[in-house]
Amino acid sequence: MSYSEAEKFGEAVKILRNRKKLTQEVLSQKACVDTKYLREIEKGMHSVGLEITLRLCKALGVNRFELFTLAWEKEYKVYKKSVADKQTKNNCPSDLTNRLFFLVQYN
């Protein structure tokens, strides 16, 4: 299933909210957003601007990096795996292999 950017963001907000054991009502109050709007954010129905993102982060007790990392974590893992697969397919050694080869060769 392909998720939109708004759905990834909303899922991350929901995961963090649940980790903090907050209800949607409590989080919406802390972030100064309408509860209905927060529900729709969590469902991926809205692309959220910077101001709301920052308010949600503050209310959740996380920084932007943590929120966005969680939102795009799966996508990064898929990308990282595809790069590793290409390196293996092309017999292209990893960066670590290149460094080890260099150390052995010149020491």
Side-chain angles (χ1 to χ4, degrees):
M1 180 174 172
S2 177
Y3 288 111
S4 72
E5 303 303 307
E7 288 171 320
K8 291 174 191 173
F9 182 85
E11 184 179 1
V13 169
K14 185 175 182 176
I15 289 168
L16 290 168
R17 178 179 61 77
N18 287 329
R19 283 183 188 169
K20 302 286 182 172
K21 295 181 171 70
L22 298 173
T23 64
Q24 288 178 330
E25 292 75 21
V26 170
L27 178 58
S28 65
Q29 288 173 355
K30 286 183 165 198
C32 299
V33 297
D34 185 68
T35 304
K36 182 181 178 212
Y37 186 59
L38 177 61
R39 280 190 203 108
E40 292 172 352
I41 290 170
E42 288 186 357
K43 290 180 182 178
M45 297 170 68
H46 293 285
S47 294
V48 180
L50 181 60
E51 182 181 338
I52 300 294
T53 300
L54 294 176
R55 282 197 250 157
L56 287 169
C57 287
K58 184 175 181 180
L60 289 165
V62 298
N63 61 42
R64 293 177 307 248
F65 180 75
E66 291 172 283
L67 177 61
F68 287 110
T69 299
L70 180 60
W72 283 271
E73 182 177 32
K74 292 176 190 170
E75 192 172 294
Y76 173 72
K77 286 179 180 177
V78 168
Y79 169 76
K80 189 175 175 183
K81 184 179 179 334
S82 73
V83 169
D85 290 346
K86 284 179 187 176
Q87 287 178 339
T88 302
K89 182 180 175 183
N90 296 331
N91 292 325
C92 179
S94 69
D95 189 46
L96 179 60
T97 305
N98 286 336
R99 290 179 188 180
L100 289 172
F101 177 74
F102 179 82
L103 290 172
V104 170
Q105 186 178 8
Y106 295 102
N107 284 328

